[in-house]
Amino acid sequence: MDTQLVWARDPVEGYIQCCISEIGAKEFEVTPIDRKYPKRSCHVDDIFSSCDGPQDHDDNCELMLLNEATFLDNLKTRYYKDKIYTYVANILIAVNPYREITDLYSSTTIRKYTGRSLGELPPHVFAIADKAIRDMRVLKSSQSIIVSGESGAGKTESTKYLLKYLCHSSDSAGPIEQKILDANPVLEAFGNAKTTRNNNSSRFGKFIEVHYDAKCQVVGGYISHYLLEKSRICTQSSEERNYHVFYMLLAGAPQQLRDKLNLGKPDDYRYLSGCTQYFANAKTEQLIPAAQKSSNHVKKGPLKDPIIDDYNHFQNLDRALGRLGLSEVNKLEIYSLVAAVLHLGNIAFEEIPDDARGGCQVSETSEKSLTITSKLLGVDPSELRQALVSRVMQSKGGGFKGTVIMVPLKIYEASNARDALAKAIYSRLFDRIVALINQSIPFQASNFYIGVLDIAGFEYFTVNSFEQFCINYCNEKLQKFFNDNILKNEQELYKSEGLNVPEITFTDNQDIIDLIEAKANGIYTLLDEESKLPKPSAQHFTAEVHKAWSNHFRLGLPRSSRLKAHRTLRDEDGFLVRHFAGAVCYNTEQFIEKNNDALHASLEGLVQECENPLLKTLFPSGSNTALRGKLNFISVGSKFKSQLAELMEKLEKNGTNFIRCIKPNSKMIDRDFEGGLALAQLKCSGTISVLELMEHGYPSRVQFADLYNMYKSVLPPELAKLPPRTFCEAMLQSLNLSSKDFKFGVKKVFFRPGKFVEFDRIMKSDPENLLAIVAKVKKWLIRSRWIKSTLGAVCVIKLRNRIKYRNNCVLLIQRTVRGYLARKQHRPRYQGIAKINKIRFSAQKTIEIAGGLKSGRDEFINEVHGIHRQVDEAINTIKANERITSREIDGLYTIIMANMNKLTVDLNTKLKEQKQAEEQERLRKIQEALEAERRAKEEEERKKLEDEENKRLKAEMESRRKAEEVQRLRQEEEDRRAALALQAQLEKEAQDDAKYRQQLEQERRDHELALRLANETNGMVEDSPPVIRNGQTDVSPMAPNKLIRSENVRAQQQALGKQKYDLSKWKYSELRDAINTSCDIELLEACRQEFHRRLKVYHAWKAKNRKRTTMEENERAPKSVMEAAYKAPPLAHPKQEITTAQHRYFRIPFMRANAPENTKRGLWYAHFDGQWIARQMELHADKPPILLVAGIDDMQMCELSLEETGLTRKRGAEILEHEFNREWERNGGKPYKNLGANNN
């Protein structure tokens, strides 16, 4: 049907190329180009136009067709060409290649991108870093680079390369820069771990600040870290590992260090119960001692990763710690605490058989682990044993010197205390390491800084706990920041500057943030309140959450999850939060414990009195949190909220750059691109909305005043006098920029996407660049003024020529008027002379006739001469008398004519007998002449009557048009009054509809997220209960993820549902055949309405997906007609019988939108058979006529009904039937088969 290639939605590939094969009632049927995919029916919103041929653009805003399908195709094409970076305006999209790409991050590449504008070179993470440096230098403000994406998308590596560029690479870096770079391997060792989705997943968030002085030289740095995942220290799933440092220490430590720390192989330790294999390559596999390899490692071999190697990374870690200023003793202290955590996890407990209080003791098999742990921690073994199996309580009345009570612990309580101690030691060790790094990179005076934010991406697992809740809350805040800065604030700026950029809608996630952090009843608040109760309970906390937010769409019960594994949770065991990226079901069993990281007094007091100097530093005396009490403790959630608020405050103050990392597949392998997975990430990150906004937006801008002030110091006096806006206009004109590349607002000048090179050229503040641009501005001003002077001289010359021309015209008019007045005065005289002279000619003919007489010829000749004399006398009289009147002239003429007539009668009598035959012939000819004259008069009379009839018909048409206009105005007034009465109801329905569509989109995201999780865990996905709307369950036969259209469309669908014939399953071709062949009048009318309704849907889709760089080439009707239809409200077409339908004809001026300026206007003719068009014709002076007939050329014809076109309301547009048919047949059209309709 349509050979144009389109993109159709596919759950796996994201989009596949197809051709439209059928236009259905609600969907289009498409045929994939690749035959391995079956035919499918897709909704209009899931189909997009395709570009011609493969696309490969650095900036997705350069695509001929800007939509999510072409965006995804461009990413995929570039990914397979190892071009992993792409722009969306100034936002960098980075696709994880899962392998090393040669020279992509080399020192040569760094030098190549130094000082180069965004867009000059191919997209790269170095380009974003260089832009941040230049923005900091030019705008005199700190900058932030936010690296975001899912786990495994490559955030950590992107952060690493950003820091490498900011510090000018490790080869050429100075001492400070090198220490900043050395922080990375240290932080990765202690804070990163292998997960099911990422071999080097950051299990904490960090904001790394690189500080600069006034000369933009690195002077120091500072690292802020957030929310280390403590639960991983004690437990991991079978496919995941603990933090890298444990395996690095076991695999790469020298034998002497291993002996000193009593280290064995990974499966000797309970805290390494997950995956026990090392990361190693073929070379380092040989260097790891066999005694250090776990049985699983020996059986399956090492884990492979192009970046991670436990043996080599330990060597790198050790060297990095040394460069950060740590001595061998300091490093040994750190390694000792890491080993102590491993040995502490091997301490097990058993019940005391004769203890009536239910206490426990350290098992005999764990005595060795207890001894090693005590030695490494610097505490007495018996004191450690006592602190692990009991806790100390003091009476309130006694204060610090009150009665001490020893409370024995049960086995599970002792295990929890052991794990809490391990978590506390490791987390505080991590804090200490970050503090040591910050001490090694101090800065005395900092003017600005560039901060790089790398924080865990959105997480969802089969079991999600407090850590995932905090991480996803952080991602909600960052997504809100992105929405506000890129989408919301950007559009508000366009409005305030008057740029007239179309508004883009996006999902605001503020309601999710309120759900989590609201002061009154947010989830964090409810959790803190629960933790302060005497006996806190996870079930009670969960019940309070459901009670506080029972009617909130974003919060649901576990049984509403799409994943079957979550539906087994009881309502009091968890809750489901519908995040911006999808629904996540949280298990609240350990929320309270993880929200309170305080040790009990026995353990905290023990480590405060230890002999290990590093451990004693980690737990300073006087900071016993147990003494604060439940009502005064600071929870983990509250601390994280405060840290996040400080981070968001920094980001708000800084200039912001975004890097969106994309995970191409869930298998973590190279050369594999899952389109559906990538599309879901792009949508959730808001990048698709940015693409829509940048189709018409302006990502780069600067204020007139700032730009003027930048150049003010080097401006000559003649330019310094110019207003800032005028100077900016002169500057942009002097740089030969196209007017389409920039736009002036009220206070700022804006640049289109892809024009950052030009923008950056203007914003470079070095003196040479400023002087060069000022010289161009001066040159342009001189040239423009010279051109204006030249144009002024040309205008003066043209004005002089015009004055001369008008003077000549005045003389000509005067001459013409004088001649006219003279002719008017003497017209009766010369007309009289001419009339009398005609008698002379008649008399001369009489002499010739008299020459044929046989007798009396001389007598007749003498009489003729007498008439000649009378003529001469009359002429002389007229010439002599200027005052003679017309009546007197007519009298002279009558006398002479009477004599002439008498002479003629006599002559005729003489000739009567001899010329009877000739006379009869002459009479016959005279008769014929009279008859011809009579017929001419009758024809003239007939035409006169026909013209009068046409005038009458047109007058009737005009009166009918006016009556219809009056009726229409009356109806519009009634509709307006009705609309005012229903306005509040319609607005509420529109809000409900928008909310419902948002909920359905959220449901689709939840379903996609559940599918991905099910594929990873071999779980099952079930459909969730349908969304409730207006108190009723939606049982629409449509797919659950399809959006409901607007109220008008639903009304039309309901109207169609009430018709006698159900045409929803009819094919487009079947409807057309029925219109051409059916004799059933009701079926025929129903088919015509359904046929044109589908045409409207198809043409609306075509208009939405047309190319940006071309105008509408296949206009089906004049622009005024189409605009009238779009502005008019939807009309319900009255059902008409074919036998009584009126045929009406219209003609209006017409010019195609892409026609040249000097093109003459053509005419557009339309013949409507009832409400629908039957024939259509375009006539242009320089083009062949275009004749279209319904049933054959429907795709090229106007699809609107007569009422929608507004033609009946255009004065003078309606014409008569014969006028249309005359032009139709003149241009080769065939007669129309009239079915007995009433013509107007």
Side-chain angles (χ1 to χ4, degrees):
M1 175 186 163
D2 192 343
T3 57
Q4 178 189 352
L5 289 178
V6 298
W7 291 105
R9 189 70 180 268
D10 183 80
V12 178
E13 299 295 334
Y15 283 92
I16 57 175
Q17 276 198 322
C18 306
C19 285
I20 298 177
S21 55
E22 187 62 53
I23 301 177
K26 299 175 182 178
E27 299 175 333
F28 288 177
E29 183 183 272
V30 294
T31 303
I33 302 300
D34 191 340
R35 295 301 178 185
K36 72 178 181 181
Y37 300 107
K39 275 189 177 182
R40 62 194 67 197
S41 293
C42 298
H43 200 277
V44 178
D45 290 343
D46 290 334
I47 300 176
F48 297 95
S49 292
S50 172
C51 298
D52 298 331
Q55 301 295 303
D56 184 357
H57 294 280
D58 289 345
D59 190 343
N60 288 282
C61 295
E62 297 173 0
L63 290 167
M64 186 72 70
L65 294 165
L66 275 182
N67 56 61
E68 60 189 60
T70 55
F71 181 16
L72 184 66
D73 178 59
N74 191 44
L75 281 185
K76 183 176 181 179
T77 302
R78 293 176 60 83
Y79 172 78
Y80 284 115
K81 293 180 180 180
D82 286 341
K83 299 177 181 179
I84 61 172
Y85 293 116
T86 315
Y87 292 129
V88 175
N90 296 344
I91 300 173
L92 182 70
I93 309 298
V95 183
N96 193 345
Y98 287 116
R99 67 189 185 91
E100 291 187 8
I101 300 176
T102 308
D103 290 333
L104 189 59
Y105 307 105
S106 64
S107 301
T108 305
T109 307
I110 290 179
R111 289 192 294 272
K112 186 168 66 172
Y113 277 86
T114 302
R116 304 298 290 272
S117 300
L118 207 68
E120 279 191 69
L121 295 174
H124 202 289
V125 67
F126 291 163
I128 296 296
D130 190 76
K131 175 182 179 294
I133 293 174
R134 282 183 286 106
D135 286 350
M136 177 187 68
R137 182 187 297 118
V138 173
L139 303 177
K140 308 298 182 185
S141 66
S142 298
Q143 301 292 311
S144 298
I145 303 176
I146 299 177
V147 185
S148 60
E150 284 194 7
S151 179
K155 300 186 299 298
T156 301
E157 291 303 305
S158 295
T159 302
K160 190 185 304 181
Y161 292 123
L162 282 170
L163 292 174
K164 181 179 180 180
Y165 188 91
L166 294 176
C167 296
H168 298 154
S169 86
S170 59
D171 295 334
S172 59
I176 293 295
E177 291 92 332
Q178 183 60 52
K179 288 181 179 180
I180 295 175
L181 294 173
D182 284 334
N184 234 15
V186 176
L187 293 175
E188 285 189 20
F190 286 88
N192 288 25
K194 177 191 180 302
T195 66
T196 56
R197 299 190 180 121
N198 188 0
N199 289 337
N200 192 30
S201 176
S202 296
R203 308 314 301 163
F204 71 105
K206 58 181 179 287
F207 186 62
I208 304 176
E209 302 172 11
V210 181
H211 286 257
Y212 297 83
D213 59 14
K215 298 180 180 178
C216 292
Q217 299 294 323
V218 177
V219 295
Y222 188 81
I223 299 174
S224 306
H225 68 286
Y226 312 96
L227 200 69
L228 180 72
E229 185 183 18
K230 299 178 186 177
S231 61
R232 183 170 295 274
I233 300 167
C234 303
T235 56
Q236 313 92 40
S237 66
S238 59
E239 296 298 322
E240 297 189 351
R241 300 202 317 175
N242 208 323
Y243 290 103
H244 290 326
V245 67
F246 295 111
Y247 304 89
M248 291 159 60
L249 189 62
L250 296 177
Q255 185 62 44
Q256 183 181 0
L257 179 60
R258 284 199 296 268
D259 293 341
K260 187 179 293 186
L261 302 179
N262 293 284
L263 294 176
K265 53 185 180 298
D267 44 9
D268 292 341
Y269 304 100
R270 181 183 289 109
Y271 283 171
L272 304 182
S273 59
C275 176
T276 57
Q277 296 165 266
Y278 296 122
F279 280 102
N281 55 39
K283 182 179 180 181
T284 54
E285 172 68 6
Q286 303 299 323
L287 298 176
I288 301 175
Q292 298 300 119
K293 298 178 182 178
S294 66
S295 57
N296 208 18
H297 183 99
V298 173
K299 180 179 179 182
K300 297 181 180 179
L303 300 171
K304 301 292 184 182
D305 190 273
I307 298 173
I308 307 173
D309 187 292
D310 289 326
Y311 184 88
N312 286 336
H313 280 194
F314 178 79
Q315 318 305 323
N316 296 338
L317 170 65
D318 194 66
R319 287 192 294 269
L321 288 174
R323 286 194 294 267
L324 288 172
L326 273 69
S327 65
E328 293 297 326
V329 175
N330 299 140
K331 290 191 283 186
L332 180 60
E333 290 175 347
I334 293 174
Y335 297 150
S336 298
L337 287 186
V338 173
V341 170
L342 288 178
H343 291 296
L344 179 62
N346 284 350
I347 299 175
F349 306 95
E350 60 185 10
E351 293 182 355
I352 302 176
D354 301 330
D355 191 354
R357 295 182 299 174
C360 67
Q361 62 185 5
V362 176
S363 64
E364 293 183 5
T365 57
S366 303
E367 287 295 334
K368 181 180 178 181
S369 299
L370 178 68
T371 304
I372 296 172
T373 304
S374 302
K375 178 182 176 183
L376 294 174
L377 295 179
V379 298
D380 184 79
S382 60
E383 292 182 358
L384 177 61
R385 178 186 290 106
Q386 185 66 29
L388 287 174
V389 299
S390 63
R391 62 188 177 94
V392 177
M393 295 184 62
Q394 294 178 332
S395 61
K396 293 183 179 179
F400 283 99
K401 297 182 180 180
T403 304
V404 177
I405 304 173
M406 298 293 293
V407 179
L409 302 178
K410 296 180 173 58
I411 292 179
Y412 77 89
E413 292 176 332
S415 298
N416 290 341
R418 175 202 64 207
D419 293 345
L421 178 60
K423 294 175 185 177
I425 292 174
Y426 190 85
S427 63
R428 295 198 183 196
L429 175 62
F430 186 79
D431 296 344
R432 178 62 180 170
I433 289 172
V434 174
L436 288 173
I437 294 173
N438 288 333
Q439 290 174 12
S440 70
I441 51 175
F443 52 91
Q444 299 299 325
S446 168
N447 289 67
F448 311 106
Y449 69 85
I450 295 178
V452 180
L453 177 63
D454 173 19
I455 204 159
F458 181 77
E459 288 193 346
Y460 54 96
F461 301 103
T462 305
V463 178
N464 302 283
S465 190
F466 184 70
E467 294 87 355
Q468 283 71 43
F469 181 77
C470 292
I471 288 170
N472 293 341
Y473 162 64
C474 175
N475 279 273
E476 290 286 357
K477 294 284 283 186
L478 290 176
Q479 185 64 29
K480 174 67 175 174
F481 176 77
F482 178 82
N483 289 345
D484 288 347
N485 281 269
I486 301 298
L487 298 174
K488 183 180 179 181
N489 294 347
E490 192 81 0
Q491 295 189 77
E492 290 177 355
L493 176 63
Y494 292 159
K495 284 184 180 178
S496 63
E497 291 286 335
L499 296 189
N500 195 25
V501 174
E503 187 173 355
I504 301 298
T505 58
F506 60 93
T507 302
D508 189 358
N509 62 338
Q510 182 61 46
D511 55 344
I512 312 176
I513 296 173
D514 293 340
L515 169 71
I516 297 173
E517 69 174 14
K519 291 184 178 180
N521 56 352
I523 295 178
Y524 273 131
T525 303
L526 296 176
L527 181 60
D528 288 348
E529 291 177 354
E530 185 68 30
S531 300
K532 295 175 183 177
L533 295 177
K535 291 185 178 181
S537 164
Q539 289 78 13
H540 182 261
F541 158 68
T542 310
E544 288 296 314
V545 170
H546 288 304
K547 179 181 177 182
W549 302 94
S550 57
N551 296 322
H552 201 284
F553 165 69
R554 297 291 184 179
L555 188 84
L557 297 170
R559 60 172 177 263
S560 64
S561 173
R562 299 238 178 195
L563 198 65
K564 189 175 182 180
H566 292 156
R567 297 192 177 192
T568 58
L569 280 177
R570 295 179 301 175
D571 292 352
E572 62 270 19
D573 289 340
F575 53 78
L576 181 138
V577 177
R578 294 182 176 88
H579 291 284
F580 74 95
V584 178
C585 185
Y586 296 101
N587 189 323
T588 57
E589 182 181 357
Q590 295 183 335
F591 265 46
I592 296 175
E593 290 80 0
K594 293 180 178 180
N595 191 43
N596 184 1
D597 59 352
L599 291 173
H600 64 69
S602 301
L603 287 174
E604 190 161 3
L606 177 67
V607 293
Q608 286 175 351
E609 301 299 327
C610 70
E611 297 177 359
N612 187 314
L614 177 59
L615 185 61
K616 201 167 185 177
T617 306
L618 301 183
F619 293 88
S621 58
S623 62
N624 198 324
T625 55
L627 299 178
R628 299 175 189 167
K630 284 190 173 184
L631 298 180
N632 298 319
F633 87 106
I634 301 175
S635 66
V636 175
S638 299
K639 190 186 303 181
F640 182 59
K641 276 174 58 180
S642 302
Q643 289 179 325
L644 198 55
E646 292 176 4
L647 173 63
M648 300 310 296
E649 186 178 353
K650 285 183 179 180
L651 296 179
E652 291 286 352
K653 293 179 180 178
N654 297 348
T656 311
N657 301 275
F658 290 94
I659 299 177
R660 293 298 200 188
C661 297
I662 301 298
K663 186 176 182 179
N665 60 76
S666 54
K667 305 169 190 173
M668 292 189 292
I669 60 176
D670 64 329
R671 313 295 293 175
D672 184 22
F673 191 91
E674 297 176 9
L677 175 64
L679 181 63
Q681 295 173 74
L682 292 171
K683 280 193 167 185
C684 292
S685 66
T687 312
I688 297 295
S689 299
V690 174
L691 185 71
E692 294 177 11
L693 179 63
M694 287 303 108
E695 181 177 1
H696 306 282
Y698 302 84
S700 306
R701 76 292 310 265
V702 64
Q703 288 195 358
F704 301 135
D706 293 344
L707 195 57
Y708 178 78
N709 292 333
M710 185 183 300
Y711 287 83
K712 187 176 181 180
S713 60
V714 294
L715 290 179
E718 63 269 22
L719 295 184
K721 297 177 182 178
L722 295 176
R725 182 187 179 104
T726 306
F727 172 74
C728 293
E729 291 177 353
M731 176 189 296
L732 296 180
Q733 295 292 344
S734 68
L735 295 175
N736 296 324
L737 294 180
S738 172
S739 58
K740 297 180 181 178
D741 296 338
F742 64 90
K743 197 166 187 179
F744 284 93
V746 178
K747 299 179 180 178
K748 299 180 180 181
V749 58
F750 295 79
F751 290 82
R752 291 283 293 141
K755 298 302 173 185
F756 194 84
V757 176
E758 289 81 356
F759 174 72
D760 192 53
R761 192 193 319 164
I762 296 171
M763 295 300 293
K764 281 186 178 179
S765 57
D766 54 281
E768 293 181 3
N769 183 68
L770 296 181
L771 291 173
I773 293 181
V774 168
K776 288 184 179 180
V777 173
K778 289 178 63 178
K779 180 180 177 181
W780 181 84
L781 283 175
I782 293 171
R783 183 173 176 273
S784 62
R785 288 168 181 168
W786 184 86
I787 291 174
K788 288 180 180 177
S789 301
T790 306
L791 292 176
V794 171
C795 291
V796 170
I797 294 172
K798 288 184 176 179
L799 182 60
R800 183 195 64 185
N801 294 338
R802 181 170 295 180
I803 292 173
K804 287 183 178 180
Y805 170 74
R806 289 184 175 178
N807 187 39
N808 293 334
C809 290
V810 169
L811 294 176
L812 178 62
I813 291 171
Q814 291 175 352
R815 186 166 61 248
T816 304
V817 170
R818 284 197 295 269
Y820 168 75
L821 294 176
R823 286 190 294 273
K824 181 179 180 182
Q825 179 182 354
H826 299 288
R827 184 179 292 114
R829 297 172 64 202
Y830 66 73
Q831 285 181 349
I833 293 172
K835 189 163 55 174
I836 293 172
N837 264 331
K838 289 181 181 179
I839 299 176
R840 188 194 303 275
F841 300 142
S842 301
Q844 190 66 32
K845 289 182 180 180
T846 304
I847 292 175
E848 295 174 1
I849 296 171
L853 293 176
K854 296 179 180 179
S855 61
R857 182 176 58 186
D858 295 336
E859 182 182 349
F860 279 105
I861 291 174
N862 290 332
E863 290 182 7
V864 170
H865 289 322
I867 291 175
H868 283 177
R869 287 190 297 272
Q870 292 178 10
V871 169
D872 293 336
E873 291 173 358
I875 290 174
N876 291 332
T877 303
I878 294 172
K879 288 181 177 181
N881 187 4
E882 293 184 1
R883 300 294 183 180
I884 192 171
T885 63
S886 298
R887 183 175 297 177
E888 292 174 350
I889 295 173
D890 290 340
L892 294 174
Y893 173 78
T894 302
I895 294 170
I896 298 171
M897 195 62 191
N899 296 333
M900 184 64 196
N901 289 338
K902 181 177 178 299
L903 178 62
T904 303
V905 171
D906 294 341
L907 181 60
N908 289 339
T909 303
K910 288 286 185 180
L911 296 171
K912 189 173 182 180
E913 286 97 3
Q914 67 179 29
K915 293 185 177 179
Q916 188 173 3
E918 291 86 347
E919 184 65 20
Q920 288 178 353
E921 182 63 23
R922 188 179 68 82
L923 290 175
R924 186 182 64 79
K925 290 181 179 180
I926 292 174
Q927 184 66 28
E928 289 178 354
L930 292 174
E931 182 65 24
E933 184 178 358
R934 184 187 62 77
R935 286 197 300 268
K937 288 183 179 181
E938 289 179 354
E939 179 65 23
E940 183 179 354
E941 186 66 25
R942 187 189 66 78
K943 287 184 178 180
K944 183 177 179 182
L945 293 175
E946 184 178 346
D947 291 342
E948 291 177 354
E949 180 65 17
N950 289 342
K951 288 181 181 179
R952 184 186 63 79
L953 291 174
K954 288 186 177 181
E956 289 179 358
M957 284 194 303
E958 181 65 17
S959 62
R960 181 175 60 193
R961 186 192 67 79
K962 290 181 178 179
E964 290 175 351
E965 182 71 14
V966 171
Q967 179 63 25
R968 184 181 65 83
L969 292 174
R970 186 182 300 114
Q971 184 64 37
E972 285 181 356
E973 180 63 23
E974 294 176 0
D975 292 343
R976 188 183 65 81
R977 288 197 297 267
L980 290 175
L982 297 174
Q983 184 175 1
Q985 179 182 354
L986 290 176
E987 288 178 355
K988 185 177 183 302
E989 289 178 357
Q991 293 174 358
D992 293 344
D993 184 70
K995 182 178 179 182
Y996 184 60
R997 285 187 280 114
Q998 181 181 346
Q999 292 177 359
L1000 288 177
E1001 178 63 24
Q1002 181 70 42
E1003 286 290 328
R1004 181 158 75 173
R1005 290 185 184 178
D1006 297 348
H1007 185 69
E1008 291 174 352
L1009 199 66
L1011 279 176
R1012 290 167 59 185
L1013 189 56
N1015 291 335
E1016 293 176 3
T1017 60
N1018 295 323
M1020 295 180 62
V1021 175
E1022 297 181 1
D1023 288 337
S1024 63
V1027 180
I1028 305 301
R1029 181 178 186 182
N1030 296 334
Q1032 298 180 353
T1033 302
D1034 182 12
V1035 292
S1036 170
M1038 296 174 60
N1041 289 328
K1042 290 181 181 170
L1043 303 179
I1044 304 300
R1045 305 296 105 199
S1046 66
E1047 295 295 336
N1048 290 328
V1049 176
R1050 287 205 300 273
Q1052 291 181 2
Q1053 292 175 352
Q1054 292 173 3
L1056 290 172
K1058 297 178 182 179
Q1059 289 183 352
K1060 180 179 180 181
Y1061 298 97
D1062 182 12
L1063 305 176
S1064 59
K1065 296 182 180 179
W1066 281 41
K1067 293 184 177 180
Y1068 177 83
S1069 55
E1070 293 173 347
L1071 290 173
R1072 185 171 56 192
D1073 293 343
I1075 293 171
N1076 292 335
T1077 60
S1078 176
C1079 296
D1080 187 335
I1081 295 176
E1082 291 185 358
L1083 174 62
L1084 182 60
E1085 182 61 24
C1087 287
R1088 293 179 74 179
Q1089 290 192 10
E1090 175 65 14
F1091 179 82
H1092 285 84
R1093 188 191 68 80
R1094 294 191 191 183
L1095 267 183
K1096 290 177 193 174
V1097 174
Y1098 174 75
H1099 286 307
W1101 174 84
K1102 291 274 285 187
K1104 178 183 176 183
N1105 289 276
R1106 69 173 182 266
K1107 294 182 179 179
R1108 294 185 297 155
T1109 57
T1110 59
M1111 298 297 292
E1112 183 66 47
E1113 296 178 354
N1114 299 318
E1115 293 185 69
R1116 304 175 301 282
K1119 187 176 180 180
S1120 59
V1121 173
M1122 304 302 289
E1123 288 179 348
Y1126 293 143
K1127 292 178 182 178
L1131 299 172
H1133 303 301
K1135 185 176 179 181
Q1136 295 183 355
E1137 297 292 339
I1138 298 297
T1139 55
T1140 61
Q1142 283 188 336
H1143 288 246
R1144 300 180 73 171
Y1145 306 85
F1146 299 89
R1147 175 186 62 203
I1148 60 174
F1150 176 56
M1151 180 182 290
R1152 287 190 171 274
N1154 57 352
E1157 294 183 0
N1158 298 326
T1159 305
K1160 293 183 178 180
R1161 288 184 137 192
L1163 292 174
W1164 186 77
Y1165 290 81
H1167 166 203
F1168 282 85
D1169 185 352
Q1171 281 292 315
W1172 309 108
I1173 197 163
R1175 290 182 292 174
Q1176 179 176 318
M1177 176 171 56
E1178 290 180 29
L1179 299 181
H1180 299 277
D1182 55 346
K1183 295 181 182 178
I1186 301 174
L1187 281 71
L1188 305 173
V1189 181
I1192 301 175
D1193 308 301
D1194 299 291
M1195 283 296 178
Q1196 291 79 38
M1197 298 180 68
C1198 175
E1199 73 275 16
L1200 305 175
S1201 68
L1202 179 58
E1203 287 296 327
E1204 290 173 327
T1205 60
L1207 289 172
T1208 57
R1209 300 188 290 275
K1210 289 183 180 291
R1211 185 174 183 180
E1214 188 167 6
I1215 60 175
L1216 299 175
E1217 178 183 7
H1218 74 271
E1219 293 177 312
F1220 180 91
N1221 288 333
R1222 181 176 64 244
E1223 293 296 333
W1224 179 265
E1225 294 172 2
R1226 178 186 299 170
N1227 290 283
K1230 296 181 180 179
Y1232 182 69
K1233 295 182 180 180
N1234 195 329
L1235 301 179
N1238 292 334
N1239 299 331
N1240 57 347

